[in-house]
Amino acid sequence: MPANNKWKLILASASPRRKELLGHTHVPFTIETIATDEASDETNPCSFALAVARYKGHVLCVTLPEIPTVVVSADTVVALNGKIYGKPRDRDEARKFLTDLAGKTHQVHTAVCVHYWHQEKWKRLEHVETTEVDFQPLNPRLLEDYVLSGDSLDKAGAYGIQGQALTFIHQVRGCYANVVGFPLARFCSMMEQDFLKQIGEQGPWQNLF
């Protein structure tokens, strides 16, 4: 058992944005990752994100000791008219992604998987959160400045909402943190309601860690 008979929380992501968001819970956690290809045969954006998030968590879980542990994994995709926009390969593809999104409404889907060791096996909770984002027509100078900054290259859809790309964004409908990469309020709800119910404990869920 973890120290003081408490559960251990692991974030299966190297994303500094997810680290920061999960930190807002004030629950101690560690970061452990295993490199995986963020790919799936799924063509539906929600199903794609869920398959990748599920696999990120699974490959880590099978390496862990069998003690009360929660592993949180996530994957974010941007979709326009059903087409998936992941992380661009280079600046040229980033420029193309952003040009495609310009002046349109797209969806940001983040899948969250909570794997937990309970009753001698790994179990799983999962959810896909969707936020709609309206881009205004892009000013060519702002577009080029952003692409050259390199900020696009590690982000789904080639932009991060919390930075310079705010110059493109007209409106957001839904969870802002979801667009950053982790729907924090939804995760807390999953833990407070679903997780506690499944393990037969009383809240607050943070007290278990």
Side-chain angles (χ1 to χ4, degrees), residues 55-126:
Y55 187 66
K56 286 179 182 178
H58 168 74
V59 296
L60 179 61
C61 287
V62 297
T63 71
L64 298 174
E66 296 174 350
I67 61 174
T69 303
V70 172
V71 173
V72 183
S73 55
D75 188 65
T76 300
V77 300
V78 166
L80 177 66
N81 298 324
K83 179 181 177 180
I84 296 170
Y85 290 77
K87 297 175 183 177
R89 291 186 296 266
D90 51 35
R91 286 175 175 162
D92 287 340
E93 188 168 55
R95 189 180 292 108
K96 182 183 184 306
F97 282 7
L98 293 168
T99 301
D100 286 352
L101 299 177
K104 302 182 182 74
T105 298
H106 65 267
Q107 294 74 43
V108 179
H109 307 287
T110 299
V112 176
C113 287
V114 176
H115 289 83
Y116 59 101
W117 179 261
H118 185 57
Q119 295 177 338
E120 303 305 314
K121 63 180 179 180
W122 286 104
K123 301 180 181 181
R124 186 177 68 241
L125 301 169
E126 53 193 29

Side-chain angles (χ1 to χ4, degrees), residues 18-36:
R18 291 185 180 128
K19 176 184 177 182
E20 180 182 5
L21 286 166
L22 186 57
H24 292 319
T25 65
H26 296 283
V27 172
F29 65 93
T30 60
I31 295 174
E32 298 183 40
T33 62
I34 294 178
T36 61

Side-chain angles (χ1 to χ4, degrees), residues 109-194:
H109 307 287
T110 299
V112 176
C113 287
V114 176
H115 289 83
Y116 59 101
W117 179 261
H118 185 57
Q119 295 177 338
E120 303 305 314
K121 63 180 179 180
W122 286 104
K123 301 180 181 181
R124 186 177 68 241
L125 301 169
E126 53 193 29
H127 176 78
V128 180
E129 187 79 7
T130 299
T131 302
E132 288 198 330
V133 180
D134 297 344
F135 264 31
Q136 60 189 19
L138 298 187
N139 176 292
R141 172 66 181 273
L142 291 175
L143 170 61
E144 200 60 25
D145 284 349
Y146 185 61
V147 170
L148 292 177
S149 76
D151 189 60
S152 293
L153 299 179
D154 66 338
K155 297 175 176 65
Y159 77 94
I161 193 172
Q162 69 277 24
Q164 187 177 341
L166 283 170
T167 57
F168 310 150
I169 295 168
H170 172 66
Q171 190 171 5
V172 175
R173 288 181 295 279
C175 175
Y176 172 88
N178 186 52
V179 187
V180 178
F182 189 69
L184 183 60
R186 175 62 66 178
F187 166 74
C188 291
S189 177
M190 291 170 69
M191 295 297 291
E192 188 69 26
Q193 299 176 25
D194 304 319

